[in-house]
């Protein structure tokens, strides 16, 4: 995570950010926290989740108040993979804590802020995220559309995803995110319990520490 | 899971079951679903969770309405590891679906039934279960007290846990539960995503398929 977040020209991303105050504030915050690769990924996750919600006529993506929560959860879902939030817990939970704290600081009520917490905390929990709450499901499927060809095929998302990627490039997201999670967890193994995505990434790294491509557990 | 559930004399366990109708109904249901080893384990999980809640003066274990939910979630948390609920999803989610369905059938309202769903679904999700909701936390810590010496040490639970085990024996729970989860997932690998407890158990099994002791990923 060597990228500088301070003096970037990210304004070409603004047109994808809803103009409502909470979304603008969340994007401004994310710009100060996320390296460009993660900012791109997180914005694509929102765009894909919103696309899916609109297709399904799901209120969690189509009404302003709920779409605001979807934006905050999406743009903040990988905060825990940055040095700003490299605490003692697995990155999903550190990110969830940071996202909830941000939401509360913006006046979001506790109940809604905790829905954001849940969506971020379980975004790497297969089969659970999809069923625990509609907001968690949309964030999870946004992540899966960004990372899994099978999900794009299943949801008919290939063409749309390709058009978004041409405007918000991938910038080696898999390599950078996988390496960031492993780098945090190597000196703090309690951040990577065996039965967790960080645990799978650390195990794959340790099995082949000289491998320099995308983490094989990704 | 070869044990018969039909004609057992489990009545010595009744004195650990709260006499309120929902708890009695849940225990009756669990008796028809769980082999004796899992019934013992699930009842210990409730007893340990309740012990912790009382020590912490946590309403989720000390007031009747919430303690009822704690009982249902605890006694049902491994339903998904039985042949009755061996569907296409990971056993935690199958168990969560079964537990919620049971709760709804007993007149529990949707919101409370979904708290039971969450507690069962995330009971193998480290660091998340402890923070997502107080009910999930108690179930998770009950499970950890039953399985992890470090948790007993940390919570000062050694003496209490030992006294309960002398009355509700362990009956090789680790061996039986680990084998049951693997047996379900071998023909249906989608029940064991890599970043999940079933995934860790299946991987450990495949690395050493002739090993006949407790699963090394347990």
């Amino acid at each position: 995570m060597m990228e500088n977040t301070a003096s970037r020209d990210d304004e070409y991303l603004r047109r994808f950010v809803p103009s409502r105050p909470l979304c603008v504030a969340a994007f401004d915050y994310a710009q100060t926290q996320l390296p460009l690769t993660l900012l791109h990924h997180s914005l694509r996750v929102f765009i894909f989740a919103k696309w899916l919600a609109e297709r399904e006529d799901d209120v969690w993506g189509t009404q302003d108040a709920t779409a605001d929560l979807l934006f905050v959860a999406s743009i903040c879902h990988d905060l825990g993979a940055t040095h700003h939030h490299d605490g003692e817990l697995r990155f999903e939970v550190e990110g969830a804590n940071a996202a909830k704290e941000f939401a509360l600081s913006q006046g979001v009520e506790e109940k809604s802020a905790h829905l954001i917490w849940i969506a971020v905390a379980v975004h790497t929990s297969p089969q659970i995220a999809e069923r625990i709450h509609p907001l968690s499901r949309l964030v999870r499927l946004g992540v899966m559309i960004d990372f899994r060809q099978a999900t794009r095929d299943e949801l008919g998302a290939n063409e749309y995803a390709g058009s978004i990627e041409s405007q918000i490039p991938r910038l080696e997201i898999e390599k950078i995110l996988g390496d960031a999670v492993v780098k945090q967890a190597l000196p703090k193994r309690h951040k990577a319990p065996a039965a967790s995505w960080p645990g799978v990434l650390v195990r794959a790294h340790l099995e082949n520490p000289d491998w320099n491509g995308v983490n094989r557990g990704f």
Side-chain angles (χ1 to χ4, degrees), chain A:
Chain A
M1 315 302 280
M2 294 291 101
E3 298 175 64
N4 183 13
T5 56
S7 55
R8 287 186 327 227
D9 175 18
D10 301 343
E11 296 311 306
Y12 61 98
L13 300 173
R14 286 274 170 192
R15 64 194 163 99
F16 297 101
V17 179
S19 57
R20 299 181 299 274
L22 182 58
C23 299
V24 172
F27 187 74
D28 289 346
Y29 175 62
Q31 276 190 313
T32 70
Q33 304 290 302
L34 297 174
L36 190 62
T37 297
L38 288 192
L39 187 65
H40 275 204
H41 163 63
S42 302
L43 190 55
R44 284 196 308 272
V45 165
F46 167 71
I47 292 166
F48 295 153
K50 189 165 191 311
W51 170 83
L52 186 65
E54 284 171 353
R55 223 187 48 172
E56 297 178 337
D57 205 16
D58 179 341
V59 295
W60 284 90
T62 56
Q63 297 186 354
D64 286 357
T66 49
D68 277 4
L69 303 183
L70 178 62
F71 187 83
V72 175
S74 299
I75 206 74
C76 290
H77 85 280
D78 277 339
L79 280 180
T82 72
H83 66 88
H84 302 286
H85 305 284
D86 184 9
E88 299 302 313
L89 301 170
R90 49 190 287 193
F91 90 98
E92 303 97 321
V93 177
E94 293 288 348
N97 290 345
K100 181 173 178 177
E101 188 182 344
F102 168 78
L104 292 172
S105 80
Q106 298 298 307
V108 174
E109 63 173 14
E110 164 65 28
K111 195 176 156 185
S112 296
H114 196 61
L115 291 178
I116 292 171
W117 188 96
I118 294 175
V120 176
V122 303
H123 83 268
T124 62
S125 297
Q127 304 180 24
I128 293 173
E130 295 88 333
R131 292 167 180 83
I132 200 166
H133 191 275
L135 183 66
S136 308
R137 173 177 174 271
L138 287 174
V139 173
R140 169 74 177 173
L141 290 177
V143 170
M144 296 298 276
I145 290 172
D146 205 39
F147 284 141
R148 297 280 183 258
Q149 185 59 49
T151 305
R152 292 188 184 194
D153 293 343
E154 191 181 323
L155 297 174
N158 278 301
E159 191 179 349
Y160 185 69
S163 78
I164 296 298
E165 286 171 331
S166 71
Q167 301 168 79
I168 310 176
R170 301 191 66 76
L171 307 176
E172 298 195 282
I173 175 63
E174 289 88 350
K175 166 78 175 147
I176 284 175
L177 179 57
D179 287 357
V181 172
V182 168
K183 187 181 172 189
Q184 286 187 338
L186 284 179
K188 299 180 184 175
R189 293 297 172 87
H190 45 283
K191 288 177 74 78
S196 74
W197 192 58
V200 170
L201 295 177
V202 166
R203 181 167 177 150
H205 169 76
L206 294 175
E207 283 176 349
N208 210 334
D210 297 328
W211 171 251
N212 204 26
V214 172
N215 185 295
R216 285 167 167 166
F218 201 101

